[in-house]
C-alpha cells in the first residue's frame, strides 16, 4: 500500500510566489491533516478535514488555504510565500475515532519548503 | 486545552543500556496518548498508544510506555537500546475539541544511542 503520498519532496520558492503541496491517501480515511514541523517546535496543525467538502483551521492557518473535493486528496496552498513559511510540511490521515479506530495518524514522508 | 510536554531536548544512552524518554500531559477527560518516531528525512511512524486498560503498553521495535495517571506521565522505555534507535521521538495527545479528532504533539526529544 502507498499510504499517504506527498509531492513535491523539496521545493525552493521566492518571496511572494505561490504553490500547492499535494497530498493523497489510499486508505479511505475520512480525516486528513496538514502539519508543519520547525526545529525544536514539534508539529503544529495548520488545517484539517473530516471529510470531503469540510475543512477547518488548526493552530497556525495564516498564509495557507486548503480544499477537500475528494476523500483521497487534501492539497495545501501557499498564496504569497514568506520566509516564515520555510518548514517541513507533513500530511497525515486517520479514521474517525469510535469506529473501531483509536485516532492514530498515518503520515506522509514530508515536503521540505524553503522560501528565499 | 490538551497539551503534552517533553522536558528533555536530547537523551544520550549507551548501547545495551535501558532508555527512557519522558512525556507529561494535561488533558480534560480521559487521555488518549501516543508515541511516534521520526528517522532523518522521513515522516513520523506510529510506535504505540494508550487508550485504556493496562498501564504498560507494548509497541513496535521493542518499545513500551508506562502510563501513570497520578503523575500525568507517559514515559517511553526500552530495556536495551540499539544504535539504530537513534531518532527523534514525539509524544502526542488526542484533542477532541469541537468534536473532531486531532493530535497535539510535544516538541520532540532526540535520542542518541552511542556504541
Amino acid at each position: 500500500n502507498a499510504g499517504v503520498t506527498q509531492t513535491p519532496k523539496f521545493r525552493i520558492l521566492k518571496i511572494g510566489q505561490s504553490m500547492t503541496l499535494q497530498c493523497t491517501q489510499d486508505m479511505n480515511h475520512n480525516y486528513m491533516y496538514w502539519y508543519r514541523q520547525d526545529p525544536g517546535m514539534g508539529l503544529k496543525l495548520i488545517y484539517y478535514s473530516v471529510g470531503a467538502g469540510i475543512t477547518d483551521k488548526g493552530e497556525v492557518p495564516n498564509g495557507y488555504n486548503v480544499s477537500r473535493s475528494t476523500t483521497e486528496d487534501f492539497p495545501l496552498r501557499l498564496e504569497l510565500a514568506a520566509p516564515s513559511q520555510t518548514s517541513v510540511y507533513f500530511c497525515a490521515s486517520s479514521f474517525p475515532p469510535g469506529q473501531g479506530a483509536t485516532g492514530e495518524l498515518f503520515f506522509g514522508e514530508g515536503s521540505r519548503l524553503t522560501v528565499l | 486545552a490538551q497539551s503534552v510536554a517533553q522536558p528533555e531536548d536530547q537523551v544520550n544512552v549507551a548501547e545495551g543500556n535501558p532508555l527512557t524518554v519522558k512525556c507529561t500531559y494535561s488533558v480534560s477527560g480521559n487521555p488518549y496518548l501516543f508515541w511516534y518516531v521520526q528517522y532523518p528525512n522521513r515522516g513520523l511512524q506510529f510506535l504505540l498508544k494508550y487508550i485504556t486498560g493496562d498501564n504498560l503498553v507494548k509497541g513496535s521495535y521493542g518499545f513500551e510506555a508506562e502510563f501513570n495517571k497520578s503523575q500525568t506521565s507517559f514515559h517511553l522505555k526500552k530495556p536495551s537500546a540499539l544504535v539504530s534507535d537513534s531518532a527523534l521521538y514525539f509524544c502526542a495527545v488526542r484533542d477532541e475539541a469541537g468534536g473532531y479528532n486531532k493530535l497535539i504533539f510535544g516538541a520532540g526529544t532526540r535520542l542518541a544511542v552511542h556504541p
Side-chain angles (χ1 to χ4, degrees), chain A residues 26-69:
Chain A
D26 62 358
M27 297 174 281
N28 203 31
H29 286 164
N30 302 78
Y31 286 23
M32 295 188 75
Y33 314 81
W34 276 105
Y35 285 88
R36 59 177 287 172
Q37 182 181 23
D38 300 301
M41 301 294 290
L43 280 78
K44 300 294 184 185
L45 183 64
I46 305 171
Y47 270 96
Y48 65 99
S49 169
V50 300
I54 306 171
T55 64
D56 207 351
K57 296 177 180 179
E59 300 170 82
V60 290
N62 291 344
Y64 307 95
N65 277 301
V66 294
S67 59
R68 185 94 181 271
S69 57

Side-chain angles (χ1 to χ4, degrees), chain B residues 35-113:
Chain B
W35 275 102
Y36 283 81
V37 60
Q38 185 182 31
Y39 297 102
N41 300 313
R42 302 296 299 275
L44 276 71
Q45 297 178 33
F46 170 75
L47 274 180
L48 51 80
K49 64 190 176 191
Y50 173 82
I51 304 301
T52 187
D54 290 341
N55 290 340
L56 188 63
V57 179
K58 295 190 181 298
S60 307
Y61 312 121
F63 283 93
E64 57 191 24
E66 186 173 10
F67 172 70
N68 188 316
K69 187 172 183 178
S70 63
Q71 296 185 4
T72 61
S73 66
F74 188 54
H75 300 333
L76 181 70
K77 302 184 178 189
K78 189 173 182 180
S80 178
L82 299 172
V83 172
S84 57
D85 292 330
S86 298
L88 189 56
Y89 291 81
F90 290 98
C91 182
V93 63
R94 196 171 101 187
D95 181 3
E96 296 178 276
Y100 302 129
N101 174 64
K102 303 179 290 293
L103 289 191
I104 306 298
F105 288 86
T109 298
R110 189 165 299 282
L111 174 66
V113 182

